[in-house]
Amino acid sequence: MSARITASVFTSHVPAIGVAMDLGKTELPGWVPLFAGYERAREWIREDPPDAVILVYNDHGNAFSLEMIPTFALGMAASYEPADEGWGPRPVPTVPGHPELAAHIASSVIQQDFDLTLVNEMTVDHGCTVPLSIMFGLPETWPCPVVPLAVNVVQYPVPSGRRCLALGQAIRRAVESFDEDLNVQVWGTGGMSHQLQGPRAGLINEKFDTMFLDRLVDDPVGLSEMPHVDYVREAGSEGIELVMWLIARGAMDDLDGGAAAREIHRHYHIPASNTAAGLLLLENP
Ligand code: DHB
Ligand code: FE
C-alpha cells in the first residue's frame, strides 16, 4: 500500500480569472471562451478526484516579502488562509493542508539533497487559489487537502529548469514511499507568456507557448535544459513562472522509466488579463 501520482495539471493562475468567478462574470462574452475550455478539466477531475494535490506555485510578495525569499518552500500546515492581496482576501474557502504527507515529503526530499524551506504558517495568494478555482469551481469547501510548494520566480536567481524537473522526480519518490493508499496529483501553475511591466508590458507569444506545451508533453528533459534568458526573452519577464511546470512534469511515470504520459486535455486562450492562459492535463497510463 502506498500513495501514487496519477496525473498532473498545468495551468495559468491569472488573478482576474479568480475575480471573474468571484463576481459571477464568467458568462460575459469576453470570458466565455476561456471558461469553456475549463469544462472538460472539471469533468475529468470529478471522474477521478485526487485524495491530495501537491500544488506548485509562486507567492507574489504576499506570504513572503522581499525581506525573505525561499527558493523552494513546502507548506507543512493544517490549513492556509487566502491572502489579502490589497482588496481583501478572495471569498474562497480556507485551503486544507495535509501535514502528514507534507512531513513525509519534506523528510524524503531533503534526504534526497533538496534544501526545502519548511513553512508552518503562511497565507496563499492567487498563485494557489486561482488554480483551485479553475479545477474545482467555487465549492463551499475545497474537495481535497493541498500541499503547497512555493517556488521563487520573483527575484533572480530563480531555480533552473533542470533543478525543477529533478525536484519533481524527488517528489515522486517521496509520494511513492508514503504509506497510505492515496491518489495524488501534482499541479504546476503560472505562465504562460506574459509581461506585466516595463516597455514590453503586454507581451504574448503564442508560438513559444505552443512549443512549450508540445515539448512539456513530448520532450520534458530537453525542455528542462532551456535557459532562463530564453523564457524571459520569448515569454516575457513573468513568463519565467513556466519553469515551475517542470516540477509537476518531473513527477510523472515516464520520468522514472514508466510509459509515456497521456495528454487528456489542452486549452489555450489569449488573453486573460495580460496573459496567455494555458491548461494541460496529463495522466499516467
Ligand atoms: C497577471 C498574471 C499573473 O500570473 C499574475 O501573477 C498577476 C497578474 C495578469 O495577467 O494580470
Ligand atoms: Fe503570477
Side-chain angles (χ1 to χ4, degrees):
M1 194 173 69
S2 85
R4 69 205 187 286
I5 291 169
T6 55
S8 49
V9 171
F10 307 85
T11 179
S12 304
H13 61 210
V14 183
I17 295 173
V19 173
M21 294 182 65
D22 298 342
L23 299 182
K25 296 197 168 171
T26 59
E27 311 279 304
L28 294 182
W31 284 112
V32 165
L34 175 73
F35 285 99
Y38 294 158
E39 283 309 312
R40 173 73 191 107
R42 290 172 177 173
E43 223 173 81
W44 168 82
I45 206 157
R46 275 196 304 267
E47 282 160 15
D48 187 18
D51 299 311
V53 168
I54 300 169
L55 203 159
V56 182
Y57 74 109
N58 66 293
D59 178 73
H60 302 73
N62 292 300
F64 309 121
S65 67
L66 290 178
E67 286 162 12
M68 212 183 289
I69 305 179
T71 301
F72 297 117
L74 189 72
M76 314 290 288
S79 65
Y80 307 89
E81 292 302 328
D84 183 345
E85 303 184 44
W87 297 269
R90 282 192 67 205
V92 294
T94 300
V95 177
H98 197 314
E100 296 79 16
L101 180 60
H104 176 80
I105 291 172
S107 150
S108 167
V109 167
I110 290 172
Q111 294 308 317
Q112 294 178 65
D113 302 333
F114 282 86
D115 307 320
L116 302 180
T117 297
L118 309 183
V119 185
N120 295 318
E121 188 178 344
M122 68 173 172
T123 56
V124 287
D125 73 8
H126 67 272
C128 179
T129 63
V130 167
L132 289 170
S133 300
I134 288 172
M135 293 304 294
F136 295 127
L138 292 174
E140 293 214 341
T141 57
W142 297 117
C144 71
V146 172
V147 177
L149 174 62
V151 179
N152 169 38
V153 291
V154 171
Q155 180 178 348
Y156 280 81
V158 310
S160 67
R162 207 177 316 118
R163 188 73 172 151
C164 287
L165 195 79
L167 175 57
Q169 292 171 306
I171 289 172
R172 175 195 175 76
R173 289 189 281 270
V175 168
E176 296 211 316
S177 59
F178 186 64
D179 222 4
E180 212 178 295
D181 198 12
L182 292 183
N183 168 353
V184 178
Q185 294 186 356
V186 187
W187 295 7
T189 77
M192 297 197 77
S193 57
H194 64 304
Q195 172 147 345
L196 301 176
Q197 31 66 48
R200 296 205 306 163
L203 177 144
I204 280 177
N205 184 346
E206 177 169 3
K207 199 163 153 233
F208 174 91
D209 290 336
T210 305
M211 174 283 291
F212 192 91
L213 288 164
D214 288 343
R215 290 187 72 192
L216 189 73
V217 177
D218 296 334
D219 179 28
V221 175
L223 183 62
S224 77
E225 297 292 334
M226 187 168 74
H228 289 145
V229 64
D230 289 15
Y231 288 79
V232 175
R233 187 183 58 246
E234 300 300 323
S237 51
E238 280 70 51
I240 189 63
E241 288 181 345
L242 283 169
V243 79
M244 295 185 288
W245 293 25
L246 288 162
I247 297 176
R249 187 65 184 92
M252 295 297 282
D253 284 3
D254 52 357
L255 273 294
D256 189 30
R262 200 165 51 224
E263 180 171 337
I264 302 297
H265 179 60
R266 188 192 288 208
H267 177 50
Y268 183 76
H269 178 78
I270 297 170
S273 178
N274 295 300
T275 298
L279 173 71
L280 176 73
L281 310 178
L282 295 182
E283 221 171 65
N284 281 325

